[in-house]
Amino acid sequence: MRILLYNPDNGVTRNFMPHLWMFLLQSLTPAEHEVLLIDGNAQPMDEAALARYVKDENIGLVGIGAMTRMVAKAYRVADAIRAAGVPVVMGGPHVTEMADEALEHCNAVALGEADETWPQIVQDAVRGQLKPIYAPVDDAGKERKPSLKEYPVIPWDKINLKQFNLIPKALTPMMKKLGAGWGTFRIIPVESGRGCPYGCEFCTVTGFFGDSIRFRTNESVVNELLLLKKRAQSELGQIAVFFIDDNFAINVKRTKSLLRDIIAAGAQLNWVAQISANLLRDEELVDLIAASGGKWVFIGMESVDPVNLADVKKGFNKPGEYAAVLERLAQRNVFAITSFIFGMDNDTVGAAERTLQQVRTWPPGLPIFGLLTPLPSTPLYKRLEVAGRLTRPKHWKEFVPFAMAHTPLRMTIDEAHAEVNYGWSHAYSPEALAKAVDAIADKPLGYRVNIFVAKLFFRGIYFPMMGKMAWPKWIAQNRRTIYKLVKEGFGFGKRTDFGHTAGLHPVEIVAPAGGDGLRPMR
């Protein structure tokens, strides 16, 4: 049987990092079946085109994974494919919490982590006997979380990754001339563990993956990195890794052990990971992050207001420590992507400017801004529902990026939207980009180019995402900084050391939306 695994586009930006669940299920599929992968961010297709593709390719089963922000598109695609006579199974955090809703659009749902149920789903599909619900439960009917000790080997050396190359065809000849193996560039998701004990009010992670942390063996992770590194070298390309653990350093002792093993094996690739600020107090951990290839750390700061953080059960974040944490990273040439949520209960007009006043004092990085979003079955959703504050109880059925779905306590919905707009426009203005470059004037040119390009493109792909016609204007607005860097690059400036770069890699991180939007898709 031919199986298609499809992930809808993310609804915020087409900047792309592939989704691990597709590769994982592909590896868990019995060998006699052929698995095809389509990610809507890399291959945009509407419902009709996907239905035709399924028929033309003689697909016998379609698996669709979707988070809340993607589920409206997922439902439309599932309806079209079922209308073409092909069965559909759906899974993911949203489907797990809203199984009855999902079953209106598909033949079967996979609840929770599908590592153990997927082979059974495939077997039942072959027999034409799909069950409506597949749940990972033991003989007593209790939910069972799969162990990661025997993690499947994802054959990165054999998988067709053509659709995931981030270098446009038109730029390929020029990039190859760089001489550092830039024929291709891909960001690959890797997980080293699952679960989170924190239980933040807005987040879906603890509900879906549990509060007990499960880890892969160090050897398994290191071998995967070595395989990716070998592939990059063999095709004269670049591969960066995004560790998609919901908190990569949740067990600091274990993380240090893993990073030491990566270093010892020579398995370093440039990597990004999500780590909470409280764990980055550890100097040795930050040393190991830098030595093992860590270039960017995503930190869910959420707010600079301790009252807001306590309200959403994230009091372990200490705003007074943010500056020291970021400086600690910057001293080791590791940059931070810092996320903030507006529309929290203690927010008032001016929250964005109050946040930016602190951001401006920190080392240059990539701040991102979003709105508090009540996701199904989270404690936040239930609290707002009981209080009668939900304005769009089924907001996912008509997804609108950067739009409130409930009434904030101390500002209006329009005022909350204005705060997000203010955050993006002021954090990524031409003046802000120029100041970021000047702030690291003591760094080699490569670092300054990287932070500038990262900020330039991060703004362009986010809020609002720029169309082709807007990019020339955006480039022109930043022409002075571009000229300054180019001039120095040609040897007229004081430093032209491109041999030491910050390891810029454009990663897909959706704007913070409360749990579902705070992390890359698995």
Side-chain angles (χ1 to χ4, degrees):
M1 181 173 67
R2 304 190 89 199
I3 300 169
L4 171 66
L5 299 179
Y6 170 74
N7 197 91
D9 49 295
N10 67 37
V12 178
T13 166
R14 292 201 184 281
N15 190 34
F16 182 68
M17 181 182 76
H19 299 278
L20 182 62
W21 73 266
M22 296 191 299
F23 302 108
L24 190 56
L25 291 192
Q26 184 181 38
S27 299
L28 292 169
T29 303
E32 64 268 24
H33 304 290
E34 181 183 1
V35 180
L36 289 75
L37 308 177
I38 293 181
D39 191 294
N41 296 286
Q43 295 180 267
M45 298 172 71
D46 62 20
E47 301 89 278
L50 279 162
R52 286 194 301 271
Y53 177 88
V54 166
K55 295 296 288 184
D56 292 346
E57 295 296 326
N58 194 30
I59 302 295
L61 175 68
V62 175
I64 300 177
M67 298 174 79
T68 298
R69 66 183 178 276
M70 310 170 182
V71 81
K73 173 69 176 287
Y75 287 160
R76 294 194 299 271
V77 168
D79 290 342
I81 290 173
R82 284 217 300 169
V86 178
V88 175
V89 57
M90 298 185 72
H94 184 93
V95 169
T96 296
E97 300 297 347
M98 306 293 291
D100 290 342
E101 175 187 279
L103 282 169
E104 297 175 7
H105 304 277
C106 62
N107 301 82
V109 295
L111 304 184
E113 300 167 60
D115 306 56
E116 296 179 355
T117 55
W118 176 246
Q120 183 63 50
I121 291 170
V122 172
Q123 184 178 338
D124 289 353
V126 170
R127 297 199 307 257
Q129 297 177 354
L130 278 173
K131 304 179 183 71
I133 295 177
Y134 290 85
V137 296
D138 58 23
D139 293 338
K142 183 179 179 181
E143 183 183 12
R144 178 174 58 214
K145 298 292 186 185
S147 169
L148 303 185
K149 296 299 183 184
E150 299 296 330
Y151 198 82
V153 175
I154 299 177
W156 293 114
D157 54 335
K158 299 181 178 66
I159 294 175
N160 182 357
L161 296 174
K162 184 177 180 179
Q163 65 175 300
F164 307 126
N165 182 20
L166 288 171
I167 296 180
K169 291 182 180 178
L171 294 181
T172 299
M174 181 184 72
M175 295 299 289
K176 285 183 176 180
K177 292 179 180 179
L178 288 178
W182 280 95
T184 59
F185 174 64
R186 303 182 180 95
I187 303 168
I188 300 299
V190 172
E191 66 177 346
S192 78
R194 297 178 192 170
C196 181
Y198 287 152
C200 301
E201 186 189 40
F202 53 75
C203 189
T204 61
V205 171
T206 303
F208 188 79
F209 291 107
D211 57 5
S212 296
I213 315 302
R214 291 157 288 144
F215 294 115
R216 294 170 60 181
T217 65
N218 288 2
E219 181 183 17
S220 170
V221 177
V222 168
N223 286 342
E224 185 167 5
L225 297 181
L226 288 170
L227 189 62
L228 287 166
K229 191 171 185 177
K230 182 178 179 180
R231 172 162 186 161
Q233 293 169 343
S234 69
E235 61 188 17
L236 300 179
Q238 297 286 332
I239 285 178
V241 162
F242 200 125
F243 285 112
I244 62 170
D245 304 36
D246 296 294
N247 197 332
F248 183 62
I250 192 64
N251 182 322
V252 172
K253 182 178 179 181
R254 180 264 176 184
T255 303
K256 289 180 180 179
S257 171
L258 173 61
L259 298 181
R260 290 190 189 101
D261 284 355
I262 289 172
I263 295 166
Q268 293 100 323
L269 288 167
N270 287 343
W271 59 262
V272 188
Q274 302 171 109
I275 303 175
S276 58
N278 60 307
L279 300 175
L280 293 167
R281 301 166 184 155
D282 191 309
E283 296 274 355
E284 184 184 30
L285 172 64
V286 181
D287 283 338
L288 289 168
I289 287 172
S292 62
K295 298 300 180 184
W296 290 87
V297 174
F298 181 92
I299 305 174
M301 290 181 169
E302 325 311 1
S303 179
V304 295
D305 181 349
V307 175
N308 272 333
L309 295 168
D311 283 346
V312 297
K313 307 297 186 290
K314 198 160 185 176
F316 54 85
N317 266 13
K318 306 296 181 186
E321 297 181 344
Y322 289 169
V325 164
L326 298 179
E327 185 60 40
R328 193 172 294 124
L329 292 170
Q331 288 171 357
R332 295 156 176 85
N333 299 316
V334 179
F335 292 94
I337 304 162
T338 53
S339 75
F340 300 94
I341 300 173
F342 297 136
M344 299 173 88
D345 281 354
N346 203 46
D347 277 343
T348 57
V349 172
E353 175 56 28
R354 289 190 291 274
T355 301
L356 287 174
Q357 286 174 3
Q358 295 200 31
V359 170
R360 294 181 189 118
T361 69
W362 300 339
L366 300 177
I368 60 177
F369 310 94
L371 292 160
L372 186 65
T373 302
L375 300 171
S377 295
T378 59
L380 174 66
Y381 189 98
K382 295 171 184 175
R383 174 167 67 84
L384 295 174
E385 184 178 38
V386 169
R389 293 172 57 191
L390 296 175
T391 56
R392 294 187 295 134
K394 302 288 185 182
H395 56 86
W396 51 86
K397 291 197 171 182
E398 292 186 21
F399 174 76
V400 181
F402 303 101
M404 294 289 289
H406 73 281
T407 304
L409 275 184
R410 304 182 66 187
M411 65 172 74
T412 67
I413 288 176
D414 286 343
E415 287 170 341
H417 292 172
E419 293 299 320
V420 170
N421 197 355
Y422 186 98
W424 281 106
S425 60
H426 285 74
Y428 292 89
S429 67
E431 294 78 16
L433 269 63
K435 287 181 180 178
V437 172
D438 290 342
I440 52 174
D442 60 324
K443 298 284 187 182
L445 178 61
Y447 286 102
R448 283 172 281 140
V449 170
N450 275 331
I451 195 67
F452 174 72
V453 172
K455 292 178 80 71
L456 187 78
F457 283 93
F458 219 65
R459 167 59 187 86
I461 64 175
Y462 267 108
F463 188 83
M465 183 171 63
M466 290 184 182
K468 292 181 180 179
M469 300 305 295
W471 277 98
K473 181 179 179 181
W474 180 230
I475 297 297
Q477 289 173 341
N478 287 276
R479 62 187 181 278
R480 291 181 180 176
T481 305
I482 293 172
Y483 174 75
K484 179 180 179 180
L485 293 171
V486 169
K487 180 181 177 181
E488 186 172 339
F490 277 99
F492 299 105
K494 62 181 180 179
R495 305 189 65 165
T496 58
D497 183 3
F498 273 99
H500 302 282
T501 70
L504 169 67
H505 295 299
V507 298
E508 179 200 7
I509 302 176
V510 302
D516 189 62
L518 282 172
R519 55 196 167 83
M521 177 66 175
R522 285 180 176 269

